[in-house]
Amino acid sequence: MAMSEFGIVYAVHIITVQFGSVVSKVCECLLRKGPLSSRDISRLAESDINHNQVKDILYLLIQHNCVQAFSIEPPDGSESKAIVQYIVLFNNILHRVRYNKFSRIVNEELGSECGAVLDGLLSNGRLRLGQLIERDRDSGKTIGSEAIRDSLQKLVAARFVERIPSPEPVLGNKDQEPAKKRGAKAAKILKEPETLEERVVEAATPVDAIRFPLIFEEDLNSSLADDDSNITEGKRKQRDVDSSDPSSGVIWRPNFEEFIHRLRHKACVEIVKERRDEGCAIVLRAMLEVGRSQEKKVKTDNSAPMSVGSIYEEVIKTEAGRTMLQERVEACLDQLSATSSYLPAFVTEMNDSYIVDFKSIISVAQKDEIEAVVMRRYGKEAFRMFRYLSQEGRFVETDKIADAALTEKKDTPQILLKMWKDGYLHMQKLAITGTYVPFLLWKVNKLIVTRQMLDEMYHASLNLNLRLAHELESEKELLMLPSDKLEGPLKERVKKVRAKRLLLSSTMFKLDDAIMLFHDF
């Protein structure tokens, strides 16, 4: 999905807060202009940044997984060299506000020691094992080198941590790629990534055996060591003097894809629990665990087929599922496979196997979010019209909408026009012979509405961040006072400030969940 205006502004704000305004200028230049060489960035960035500063900023952003270097193969017969370009990773910038969520997942699943190792990688972007051990020694609460090594191995085995991608992948020239005739089925299977960012990320990602090695080299000077640089050959030469560093070895970073994968599964379970019941949620959680290893991408429409037996085996592994008999599990599967006028099937039955329909589950939650916004902004009548048009999925004339939504026909056009002006409806005019007033048809275009919702959520999240920063800055001196000096009115003021901060933070947290629902899931 293309970046919206407020999406760009929000991403730039995140970078500004964490790295400063100079770094954000380079980031904004890449967000608005697309992939550029370092010289083009220094020329186009709206600031007095020289070429050496631009290179240092790019190294910093690559270290923190916000930018990826790549080059495109020159055309056949061309003597020109491939120029290194840099593309901003918009998703990874958004993930920077989710680090608390990622840490919580690891702490709950693997324990606090693994959580401490992950926190080191989240705060530093990329580290070697030796650097993680050094960081632990410098900390106040050391856990030891063996614990660090074991924790890192657990994180890699669970795919929460991965080996860094190729520093500078070379993309094939798409204009030269031979056109291959494929059937409709093959075209779906071999469909190329939609965006250049996806192509670059795919080209840079190593195969799983290298990305998630099962056996660690005990010696820190690992024979599997990555290149001692994150981007260009020039930078590698610059750092060759450090090649004797005993901490050189494989470089690790957090695997954001796996965290979003887990959060998507968690959201699906919550949706089913709310729409069905606790038993259905337990069965779905087991199904997600059975099929997780076969899901290659986060945005997977359907899971792999699984049998009742394999689902039941996974159900009884959990404390909540041990009281469930197989008959109860089968009844839940029937319930999840059922359709109604207001709910689609969450699970599809096929040849005695069951498939989770992620697309249906996520779409139900998206529809609820959109309808809630329509209700708050335009009222009950607009809500009924919008829901009717969503269910119809086609152009409908104004009078039919009024009849279906039980609204006054004289008020219906004004309400529909309000939603159309704000981008929630698509309108089509039909000129009819003998009449002066055009015949209006209305439709909900889900793609347009989703983009509109996302842009509004980015805007709201940006405003909340700015408001929180303003509140903390305005009361900075008060919050720095020692607790023994807080008495009477001062104590009450501090309580109000903390309550306001908690409210803003929790609202931002929930809003980010909604952004993930539309953007990441």
Side-chain angles (χ1 to χ4, degrees):
M1 190 177 289
M3 287 179 284
S4 64
E5 175 59 27
F6 279 111
I8 292 172
V9 176
Y10 180 45
V12 171
H13 171 76
I14 293 169
I15 296 295
T16 304
V17 169
Q18 298 185 4
F19 299 107
S21 59
V22 178
V23 176
S24 72
K25 289 291 183 184
V26 171
C27 186
E28 184 172 11
C29 182
L30 289 170
L31 284 164
R32 294 194 180 279
K33 306 290 185 183
L36 296 169
S37 67
S38 58
R39 294 209 172 273
D40 286 338
I41 295 168
S42 56
R43 181 172 55 85
L44 294 170
E46 296 177 7
S47 184
D48 296 328
I49 311 173
N50 62 43
H51 186 228
N52 288 331
Q53 285 178 303
V54 166
K55 287 196 292 183
D56 289 339
I57 290 168
L58 289 171
Y59 301 151
L60 174 69
L61 290 171
I62 288 172
Q63 169 69 25
H64 287 275
N65 308 301
C66 297
V67 164
Q68 172 69 47
F70 74 100
S71 57
I72 296 177
E73 200 175 60
D76 287 342
S78 173
E79 295 182 0
S80 61
K81 289 184 179 180
I83 298 173
V84 179
Q85 299 182 69
Y86 301 91
I87 187 168
V88 70
L89 304 177
F90 178 71
N91 291 348
N92 285 8
I93 294 175
L94 295 187
H95 293 332
R96 299 191 66 81
V97 301
R98 298 169 183 151
Y99 284 0
N100 287 339
K101 294 177 182 179
F102 299 163
S103 292
R104 184 181 296 177
I105 291 170
V106 168
N107 278 293
E108 289 176 356
E109 187 170 324
L110 300 178
S112 59
E113 289 186 353
C114 289
V117 173
L118 177 71
D119 289 343
L121 288 169
L122 290 172
S123 58
N124 291 277
R126 304 174 175 199
L127 292 174
R128 300 179 184 86
L129 174 58
Q131 291 170 319
L132 284 165
I133 292 171
E134 286 175 13
R135 181 179 178 274
D136 176 63
R137 286 173 186 157
D138 295 339
S139 68
K141 297 179 179 179
T142 180
I143 60 175
S145 59
E146 284 301 317
I148 294 288
R149 185 180 283 104
D150 291 343
S151 297
L152 181 59
Q153 196 152 8
K154 287 178 185 177
L155 287 164
V156 174
R159 302 201 167 195
F160 291 129
V161 167
E162 63 180 356
R163 193 173 181 168
I164 64 165
S166 170
E168 190 186 303
V170 179
L171 301 188
N173 195 317
K174 288 194 80 174
D175 295 335
Q176 293 183 177
E177 290 176 3
K180 296 180 181 178
K181 290 185 178 180
R182 303 188 183 113
K185 189 174 181 180
K188 286 183 180 178
I189 296 171
L190 302 174
K191 185 180 178 183
E192 286 193 327
E194 296 176 357
T195 65
L196 179 60
E197 181 180 338
E198 287 174 333
R199 286 183 68 207
V200 170
V201 170
E202 187 177 294
T205 304
V207 295
D208 282 359
I210 296 173
R211 189 181 178 191
F212 309 107
L214 297 176
I215 300 173
F216 273 27
E217 192 72 36
E218 289 299 322
D219 183 16
L220 294 182
N221 291 308
S222 171
S223 60
L224 295 173
D226 291 288
D227 291 334
D228 201 35
S229 163
N230 293 332
I231 34 177
T232 62
E233 185 179 351
K235 190 65 176 178
R236 282 195 291 274
K237 289 178 180 176
Q238 182 182 332
R239 296 187 179 177
D240 278 346
V241 294
D242 300 324
S243 61
S244 60
D245 185 350
S247 67
S248 65
V250 179
I251 306 173
W252 304 100
R253 73 172 190 175
N255 177 19
F256 297 134
E257 188 178 69
E258 183 63 26
F259 288 109
I260 297 300
H261 209 156
R262 300 296 179 99
L263 289 170
R264 188 189 197 221
H265 282 187
K266 184 181 177 182
C268 287
V269 172
E270 290 299 320
I271 293 163
V272 168
K273 184 178 178 180
E274 184 182 334
R275 288 298 192 153
R276 294 297 186 187
D277 58 33
E278 181 72 35
C280 289
I282 292 169
V283 171
L284 182 76
R285 188 182 291 112
M287 294 179 76
L288 297 178
E289 196 62 34
V290 171
R292 181 156 55 89
S293 62
Q294 298 181 58
E295 291 176 38
K296 301 303 179 187
K297 291 188 177 182
V298 173
K299 291 186 178 181
T300 305
D301 287 347
N302 299 289
S303 72
M306 55 197 85
S307 64
V308 176
S310 63
I311 297 167
Y312 185 63
E313 284 178 19
E314 191 62 41
V315 166
I316 59 176
K317 287 180 183 177
T318 62
E319 187 178 346
R322 288 190 190 113
T323 58
M324 296 179 73
L325 300 176
Q326 186 162 327
E327 289 179 0
R328 170 70 174 133
V329 171
E330 289 173 358
C332 288
L333 287 169
D334 290 340
Q335 198 175 345
L336 289 166
S337 305
T339 59
S340 66
S341 57
Y342 61 94
L343 271 186
F346 293 149
V347 168
T348 306
E349 185 179 1
M350 185 181 294
N351 300 326
D352 296 326
S353 295
Y354 293 89
I355 299 168
V356 178
D357 190 339
F358 291 108
K359 194 173 181 180
S360 291
I361 297 171
I362 297 298
S363 67
V364 165
Q366 288 175 341
K367 184 172 73 70
D368 287 349
E369 285 286 339
I370 294 168
E371 288 180 353
V373 171
V374 171
M375 171 74 89
R376 286 196 302 269
R377 188 171 296 179
Y378 306 106
K380 289 183 179 179
E381 291 183 335
F383 164 75
R384 292 198 298 269
M385 294 178 197
F386 188 87
R387 172 172 278 189
Y388 169 70
L389 288 170
S390 296
Q391 291 171 344
E392 288 296 306
R394 60 182 178 85
F395 281 104
V396 182
E397 57 266 35
T398 308
D399 287 349
K400 277 193 177 180
I401 296 169
D403 292 338
L406 303 175
T407 56
E408 293 289 337
K409 289 190 177 181
K410 62 181 177 64
D411 299 330
T412 302
Q414 283 75 24
I415 298 171
L416 292 168
L417 278 168
K418 281 182 185 177
M419 290 193 282
W420 169 73
K421 285 177 181 177
D422 290 341
Y424 284 86
L425 294 181
H426 187 48
M427 180 179 67
Q428 191 174 64
K429 292 182 181 181
L430 291 180
I432 300 175
T433 308
T435 62
Y436 293 103
V437 181
F439 193 66
L440 300 181
L441 299 174
W442 309 87
K443 178 185 176 183
V444 171
N445 186 318
K446 189 179 178 184
L447 182 61
I448 294 173
V449 172
T450 299
R451 287 175 179 168
Q452 177 71 18
M453 281 284 294
L454 258 179
D455 200 43
E456 290 177 5
M457 286 190 284
Y458 290 141
H459 191 185
S461 194
L462 173 66
N463 287 340
L464 284 169
N465 274 271
L466 293 172
R467 177 64 185 274
L468 179 60
H470 171 74
E471 293 291 339
L472 295 177
E473 182 63 28
S474 61
E475 300 289 356
K476 184 169 63 175
E477 293 181 2
L478 177 66
L479 293 171
M480 289 174 67
L481 289 174
S483 56
D484 58 333
K485 291 188 178 181
L486 296 175
E487 295 179 358
L490 283 179
K491 194 172 184 179
E492 288 302 314
R493 270 182 65 192
V494 169
K495 279 185 180 179
K496 287 181 180 179
V497 171
R498 287 175 178 166
K500 195 178 292 184
R501 181 173 61 183
L502 181 63
L503 177 62
L504 288 169
S505 297
S506 61
T507 305
M508 285 160 53
F509 192 89
K510 291 175 183 176
L511 185 56
D512 183 64
D513 285 344
I515 289 173
M516 284 193 292
L517 182 67
F518 285 89
H519 180 73
D520 298 282
F521 298 167

